[in-house]
Amino acid sequence: MSDPAPPPVLLGVSLKMYFGHHETLNWARRVAALADRHPAVTSGAARLFVLPAFPTLVPAAGILTPYGIGLGAQDIATEDTGPYTGEVGGPVLREIGCRYAEVGHAERRRMYGEGDTVVAAKTAAALRNRLTPVLCVGERDRGTPGEAAERTVAEAERLLRGLEGTVVLAYEPQWAIGAPEPASAEHITTVCGALRAWLDDQPQHTGSSVIYGGSAGPGLLTRLAGAADGLFLGRFAHDPANIEAVLDELHVPAPTAVA
Ligand SMILES: O=C[C@H](O)COP(=O)(O)O
């Protein structure tokens, strides 16, 4: 019997607040066309998800989801409905086609004062609304891979305590976000390996993945050699040619020869 196909490599993109409205939709059309023709996507070797800004979610859903690209929000309210001016709740996100909600990004922690209590509540809100949380974890300052692994596993444990459901753990060392280069392959391998080992002992989070973000771009998947379940791309996905280059790195099964 042949081995079962490995799970797809997960490639997420957060557009943060970089693009205008039409710019986002034009970019989304190019990414949809890429997904439609690239063998890594059409063969199921890779799965894409995109997190655009809130106002573009509805039109982006129409462009991306027909091509199997998952849609998600960059944030989610802790509450589902009610007097929470400016917030967007999980039920609405789910209703408009989101399947993911990002929580705990370092920028929200640093600039908007979100701490562990809020991040854990947002993670719970996502799970409650059948959205997969893209839960960002990672150390603030550069240190040894071993220290980073210990700290990051403890963070994931703390944020997910008492929760149940499939999550995407996005390992983003804060010092590598917006940097010229990602963390080293050794660093990423150590931390993602520790997160993976921890998750493997958590049956309540079965089906979860560990992806790496922080100046990720072409070449990194190859250097990681399977140490992460995928990448969380930022700036380097602004040019769809870079997404294509990342997809090109994935092994695509050769088509069966016709006798
Ligand atoms: O959400 C994505 C990450 O923060 C990485 O962004 P970056 O690749 O621009 O550093």
Side-chain angles (χ1 to χ4, degrees):
M1 228 172 76
S2 60
D3 290 338
V9 169
L10 194 55
L11 298 176
V13 180
S14 166
L15 293 177
K16 304 197 181 187
M17 204 182 76
Y18 281 110
F19 286 176
H21 185 73
H22 293 293
E23 199 179 3
T24 300
L25 301 183
N26 287 333
W27 176 90
R29 284 184 199 101
R30 293 177 65 192
V31 174
L34 175 61
D36 191 35
R37 70 174 164 76
H38 200 290
V41 180
T42 56
S43 70
R47 207 167 62 217
L48 295 167
F49 72 85
V50 170
L51 314 179
F54 281 125
T56 50
L57 283 170
V58 170
I63 296 168
L64 298 170
T65 57
Y67 297 94
I69 302 172
L71 183 76
Q74 295 175 22
D75 192 15
I76 180 172
T78 57
E79 310 302 319
D80 286 350
T81 176
Y84 303 100
T85 302
E87 293 289 290
V88 181
V92 167
L93 294 176
R94 178 81 204 176
E95 189 183 346
I96 63 175
C98 287
R99 292 297 174 264
Y100 296 88
E102 183 177 2
V103 291
H105 192 277
E107 287 149 14
R108 295 214 60 85
R109 283 182 175 271
R110 191 176 70 247
M111 293 187 270
Y112 306 104
E114 294 189 2
D116 281 358
T117 307
V118 167
V119 175
K122 289 185 171 187
T123 308
L127 290 168
R128 185 167 71 233
N129 288 290
R130 292 177 297 127
L131 297 162
T132 302
V134 180
L135 173 58
C136 300
V137 290
E139 75 279 10
R140 203 181 56 192
D141 303 309
R142 194 193 287 259
T144 67
E147 285 162 359
E150 201 175 314
R151 208 172 267 264
T152 305
V153 170
E155 185 183 11
E157 203 162 13
R158 213 164 58 230
L159 294 172
L160 288 171
R161 191 163 298 141
L163 300 179
E164 212 171 294
T166 299
V167 302
V168 174
L169 277 183
Y171 170 53
E172 297 216 327
Q174 298 183 28
W175 50 270
I177 298 173
E181 294 285 336
S184 69
E186 183 209 348
H187 191 101
I188 299 170
T189 301
T190 303
V191 181
C192 288
L195 286 169
R196 179 82 266 157
W198 176 74
L199 268 179
D200 286 347
D201 277 344
Q202 313 298 318
Q204 72 279 22
H205 299 305
T206 185
S208 296
S209 334
V210 180
I211 62 176
Y212 170 81
S215 307
L220 185 60
L221 270 186
T222 305
R223 295 202 295 283
L224 292 181
D229 300 319
L231 298 178
F232 193 23
L233 300 154
R235 288 158 298 140
F236 296 124
H238 291 178
D239 180 352
N242 282 336
I243 304 179
E244 180 158 15
V246 173
L247 290 172
D248 287 345
E249 291 173 64
L250 296 171
H251 170 73
V252 178
T256 321
V258 181

